[in-house]
Amino acid sequence: MSPYVAHVTVMLKPLVNDPAGLAVRDGLSALGFDGVEAVRVGKRLVVTLSAPDAEEAARLVNAMCDQLLANPVIEDFVVEIVDGASDTTAAAPPS
């Protein structure tokens, strides 16, 4: 088993209302950033896992997203798998 790191980006689907994005847009406007037309707010997760290969790591993380990390009804997600030994943004294990 090799260490892998999955960078998961979860965003609301384009047609889903994004109140946090609206609040950020309005805040930027209040600060004088008048050219901002839209903001979408999402989340980024970094998952460190062991798997026999990158394909299996991707399969496992996609299953995690389908079952817990994202709400498939209102959110889309993108998974990027990197070699855990070379990734400097890996999630630190609990102490």
Side-chain angles (χ1 to χ4, degrees):
M1 298 281 237
S2 298
Y4 291 95
V5 175
H7 296 194
V8 181
T9 303
V10 180
M11 297 292 294
L12 289 170
K13 291 185 176 184
L15 297 177
V16 176
N17 188 28
D18 186 354
L22 294 173
V24 170
R25 184 202 62 195
D26 292 347
L28 290 171
S29 178
L31 292 171
F33 296 100
D34 297 326
V36 178
E37 296 178 13
V39 175
R40 301 291 287 180
V41 174
K43 58 187 171 186
R44 181 171 186 253
L45 300 102
V46 179
V47 179
T48 304
L49 70 155
S50 293
D53 55 44
E55 276 187 24
E56 180 65 7
R59 187 193 70 73
L60 289 168
V61 175
N62 276 283
M64 293 174 197
C65 289
D66 285 335
Q67 295 178 35
L68 177 68
L69 302 180
N71 179 344
V73 175
I74 62 168
E75 294 174 319
D76 291 324
F77 62 88
V78 176
V79 175
E80 177 193 4
I81 301 294
V82 296
D83 179 0
S86 65
D87 185 66
T88 59
T89 62
S95 43

